[in-house]
Amino acid sequence: MKRLLTKLYRLVIAVIILIAGVTFERTGLIELLSDPYEYPVILELLIQHVYIVGLSMLIATIIGITAGIVLTRARFRKYAGICMYIIGLGQTIPSLAVLALAMSFLGIGFKPAVFALTIYSILPIARNTLAGITAVPPELIDAGKGMGMTPMKILLEVEIPNAMEVILTGFRVALIINIGTAALAYVIGAGGLGDLIFTGISLMQTDKLLAGAIPVTLLALFGDFLSELLGLVLISKGLRLSNR
Amino acid sequence: MITYESVTKVYGKGLNTVTALDNVSFTIPKGEVVVFLGPSGCGKTTTLRLTNRLETLTRGVITIEDQNIMDIDVVQLRQRLGYVIQAIGLFPNKTIAENIAVVPKLLHWDEERISKRVDELLEMTNLDPELYRDRYPAELSGGQQQRVGVARGLAADPNILLMDEPFGAIDPINREEIQDEFLKLQTKLKKTVAFVSHDIHEAIKMGDRIAIFEKGRLVQYDTPEVILTQPKNKFVSDFVGADRALKVLGLMRVSDIINRTPKNIIQGGDRSAEALHFLNTKDSRYGIVLEHNKPIGFVTQKSLKYEDGPVRDAVEPYPVFLREKTPLRDVLSSMLMYSTPTFCVVDDDKNFAGTVTYNDIQKAVKASYADETENVEPVETEVAS
């Protein structure tokens, strides 16, 4: 059964690639990509896109995880609800509006884009860090305390490793939203693959549109794959075993 | 040694206070296992958690080895006290070796000393180090996990061990086994152990003493024998259960009531007629037949009557032999199963050591209850007057 499914899966993939190839040829995408003048531009935009995503994700991860950890400390736990509400507001605002708001006081270009994307990505990471640490069985923390572990040791050796899977899920969601939203950064002059997509739309030029849309899609898939790999590195084998 | 002096714990503030522990005083002597026993919410766990300051005292003093626990740094105090809880307390993200090494690492032992200690503890708790060192808790059965829990509590070789219902979540068969193993370890290690349990069987088995709690008060603090035979009030006797005579038998051993010189011994080579006459003069219906000082079975007067040859031809073999260490509870069970009124006790070489009869057991039970039956107050006459 499983082998049959694998065969079917491979067949479907092959058909999709075939159809895609034909479509690309018809729309002139392949011609565009092989154009020595266009090809470096696409590559540059891709790097720009990755740079915006990478920087904003880095800042968002640091802030999000820190916020999540601080809000689970006994002293600050009572503020967790209200803080999550405020961070949550940032996500309720449509992504384009966040970009527009960022532009209104940071001007146009790279900075407001990174700022807006950071704000947008903090919530899933912070929320999952909070939820993950809260969900660590109290017996484990009790055992740690009872054996004389300091609060810092308990955080680093018990709470975070046991919450890692939930935290990574938050990271993955944030990353994928971020990659998608970063395509809008072009609107406030930050460049990225959105450049190709929006130009393609304006000029009704399908090959350009696809030259932007396909890399964004692949980038999102790669982000998902990267999160998976990160899970293998960061989540303890013991936890993966117990979830099976 | 741990002493508790007027220990009181009050939860909440203002009008909503709940007294979890009320003026509890007792001492856990060095090298003994004391079981804190009682229904849930009686204060037994609170008492334990006060000891390593997972809860803070409201009033009173707790000392360990003549040191007030409030004068010791809280982290150091906890590292000094071994702490064992149910298997769920193992860290699932750490390997077995890492789990055991938690406290030694906190104490900054060097790598080599830690790994040596881990292997030693795994062997002590009947787990093969080669096999289990690098596994994760999720790969172990409940019983194995609990063994690791015990090993972790013993890791830094603490003098005092705090155990919070450690064997509560294991199936009965494994629990028995782990309890036996722990007792065996304890006879070697002689730790001072505070052991929380809600199971009277476990308390009787594990405890050198039992502290029974009810609604935050210490009701009775005594050895298991005294608790079973002289419960202080209705709460204790109800908690101990109506079958406490049987539980007493679980505590007594064959060596307590053995009759080493029974009068009705016959040698296997004797003539049946002589043996019959011998039993008649001793006024005994049974004879225990020995050959080379090894019991081969028993004869009744009836069976000897129809036998001409030596006694050994008429012998009925014993279904089981007893050892001096056998609990009387098991002896009684065998008597009921085989309806044999006398059993033989043998030593390691199967040599005859003595006998135990049903009457001996009954006498022993009666003797342990003697004080209680004498002190029964004539309730009915009081009502009448």
Side-chain angles (χ1 to χ4, degrees), chain B residues 50-69:
Chain B
L50 283 169
T51 316
N52 63 358
R53 286 174 65 185
L54 282 173
E55 307 274 358
T56 20
L57 271 171
T58 309
R59 276 189 299 280
V61 178
I62 300 177
T63 65
I64 60 163
E65 288 154 345
D66 298 322
Q67 238 182 325
N68 188 333
I69 57 162

Short mmCIF file of all heavy atoms in Angstrom, two decimals, chain B residues 50-69:
data_model
loop_
_atom_site.label_atom_id
_atom_site.label_comp_id
_atom_site.label_asym_id
_atom_site.label_seq_id
_atom_site.Cartn_x
_atom_site.Cartn_y
_atom_site.Cartn_z
N LEU B 50 7.76 20.71 53.04
CA LEU B 50 8.32 21.71 53.96
C LEU B 50 9.77 21.38 54.26
O LEU B 50 10.59 22.27 54.48
CB LEU B 50 7.52 21.74 55.27
CG LEU B 50 6.17 22.46 55.25
CD1 LEU B 50 5.40 22.18 56.52
CD2 LEU B 50 6.35 23.96 55.08
N THR B 51 10.08 20.08 54.25
CA THR B 51 11.42 19.66 54.63
C THR B 51 12.48 20.16 53.67
O THR B 51 13.56 20.56 54.09
CB THR B 51 11.48 18.11 54.71
OG1 THR B 51 10.30 17.66 55.38
CG2 THR B 51 12.71 17.66 55.46
N ASN B 52 12.18 20.14 52.34
CA ASN B 52 13.19 20.69 51.42
C ASN B 52 12.77 22.07 50.93
O ASN B 52 13.24 22.54 49.90
CB ASN B 52 13.49 19.73 50.27
CG ASN B 52 12.30 19.48 49.38
OD1 ASN B 52 11.22 19.98 49.62
ND2 ASN B 52 12.50 18.69 48.35
N ARG B 53 11.90 22.69 51.68
CA ARG B 53 11.50 24.08 51.47
C ARG B 53 10.88 24.34 50.10
O ARG B 53 11.00 25.43 49.55
CB ARG B 53 12.69 25.03 51.72
CG ARG B 53 12.97 25.16 53.20
CD ARG B 53 14.22 25.96 53.51
NE ARG B 53 14.09 27.36 53.11
CZ ARG B 53 15.10 28.24 53.21
NH1 ARG B 53 16.28 27.87 53.69
NH2 ARG B 53 14.95 29.47 52.84
N LEU B 54 10.21 23.32 49.55
CA LEU B 54 9.38 23.58 48.38
C LEU B 54 8.14 24.34 48.83
O LEU B 54 7.46 24.98 48.04
CB LEU B 54 8.99 22.28 47.68
CG LEU B 54 10.08 21.64 46.82
CD1 LEU B 54 9.65 20.28 46.32
CD2 LEU B 54 10.44 22.53 45.65
N GLU B 55 7.82 24.22 50.13
CA GLU B 55 6.80 25.06 50.75
C GLU B 55 7.49 25.79 51.89
O GLU B 55 8.46 25.28 52.46
CB GLU B 55 5.65 24.22 51.33
CG GLU B 55 5.03 23.24 50.37
CD GLU B 55 3.93 23.86 49.52
OE1 GLU B 55 3.63 25.05 49.73
OE2 GLU B 55 3.40 23.15 48.66
N THR B 56 6.95 26.96 52.26
CA THR B 56 7.59 27.69 53.37
C THR B 56 6.80 27.48 54.64
O THR B 56 5.57 27.48 54.64
CB THR B 56 7.69 29.19 53.07
OG1 THR B 56 6.75 29.50 52.06
CG2 THR B 56 9.08 29.58 52.63
N LEU B 57 7.54 27.30 55.73
CA LEU B 57 6.94 27.10 57.05
C LEU B 57 6.15 28.34 57.46
O LEU B 57 6.59 29.47 57.22
CB LEU B 57 8.06 26.91 58.07
CG LEU B 57 8.58 25.52 58.33
CD1 LEU B 57 9.81 25.60 59.21
CD2 LEU B 57 7.53 24.70 59.01
N THR B 58 5.03 28.12 58.12
CA THR B 58 4.34 29.25 58.73
C THR B 58 4.86 29.45 60.16
O THR B 58 5.26 30.55 60.54
CB THR B 58 2.82 29.01 58.74
OG1 THR B 58 2.40 28.64 57.44
CG2 THR B 58 2.08 30.27 59.16
N ARG B 59 4.85 28.36 60.93
CA ARG B 59 5.43 28.41 62.27
C ARG B 59 6.16 27.10 62.52
O ARG B 59 5.91 26.11 61.85
CB ARG B 59 4.32 28.57 63.33
CG ARG B 59 3.89 30.01 63.56
CD ARG B 59 2.97 30.08 64.76
NE ARG B 59 1.76 29.29 64.58
CZ ARG B 59 0.70 29.71 63.86
NH1 ARG B 59 0.72 30.87 63.27
NH2 ARG B 59 -0.36 28.96 63.74
N GLY B 60 7.02 27.10 63.54
CA GLY B 60 7.69 25.87 63.93
C GLY B 60 9.10 25.78 63.38
O GLY B 60 9.56 26.66 62.67
N VAL B 61 9.76 24.68 63.74
CA VAL B 61 11.16 24.51 63.35
C VAL B 61 11.35 23.12 62.78
O VAL B 61 10.84 22.13 63.32
CB VAL B 61 12.08 24.68 64.59
CG1 VAL B 61 13.53 24.44 64.19
CG2 VAL B 61 11.91 26.06 65.21
N ILE B 62 12.05 23.02 61.67
CA ILE B 62 12.46 21.72 61.15
C ILE B 62 13.98 21.70 61.14
O ILE B 62 14.61 22.66 60.67
CB ILE B 62 11.95 21.49 59.71
CG1 ILE B 62 10.42 21.54 59.68
CG2 ILE B 62 12.43 20.14 59.17
CD1 ILE B 62 9.83 21.39 58.28
N THR B 63 14.58 20.66 61.69
CA THR B 63 16.03 20.56 61.63
C THR B 63 16.42 19.25 60.95
O THR B 63 15.75 18.23 61.10
CB THR B 63 16.69 20.58 63.03
OG1 THR B 63 16.29 19.39 63.73
CG2 THR B 63 16.26 21.79 63.84
N ILE B 64 17.52 19.33 60.17
CA ILE B 64 18.10 18.09 59.64
C ILE B 64 19.52 18.01 60.18
O ILE B 64 20.26 18.97 60.13
CB ILE B 64 18.09 18.04 58.10
CG1 ILE B 64 18.88 19.20 57.51
CG2 ILE B 64 16.69 18.04 57.56
CD1 ILE B 64 19.26 19.00 56.08
N GLU B 65 19.85 16.87 60.75
CA GLU B 65 21.16 16.67 61.37
C GLU B 65 21.52 17.85 62.27
O GLU B 65 22.60 18.42 62.18
CB GLU B 65 22.21 16.43 60.29
CG GLU B 65 22.06 15.05 59.66
CD GLU B 65 22.59 14.98 58.23
OE1 GLU B 65 22.81 16.05 57.63
OE2 GLU B 65 22.77 13.86 57.73
N ASP B 66 20.55 18.22 63.13
CA ASP B 66 20.71 19.28 64.14
C ASP B 66 20.97 20.66 63.55
O ASP B 66 21.52 21.54 64.21
CB ASP B 66 21.84 18.93 65.13
CG ASP B 66 21.50 17.66 65.89
OD1 ASP B 66 20.31 17.50 66.22
OD2 ASP B 66 22.41 16.83 66.13
N GLN B 67 20.57 20.89 62.30
CA GLN B 67 20.72 22.20 61.69
C GLN B 67 19.35 22.69 61.27
O GLN B 67 18.61 21.96 60.59
CB GLN B 67 21.62 22.07 60.46
CG GLN B 67 22.85 22.94 60.51
CD GLN B 67 23.64 22.77 59.23
OE1 GLN B 67 23.71 21.69 58.64
NE2 GLN B 67 24.24 23.85 58.80
N ASN B 68 19.01 23.89 61.67
CA ASN B 68 17.72 24.45 61.26
C ASN B 68 17.72 24.65 59.74
O ASN B 68 18.64 25.24 59.20
CB ASN B 68 17.51 25.79 61.97
CG ASN B 68 16.11 26.33 61.75
OD1 ASN B 68 15.47 26.04 60.74
ND2 ASN B 68 15.63 27.10 62.71
N ILE B 69 16.68 24.14 59.07
CA ILE B 69 16.70 24.22 57.60
C ILE B 69 16.64 25.66 57.11
O ILE B 69 17.04 25.96 56.00
CB ILE B 69 15.56 23.41 56.94
CG1 ILE B 69 14.18 23.87 57.44
CG2 ILE B 69 15.74 21.93 57.13
CD1 ILE B 69 13.07 23.43 56.52
#
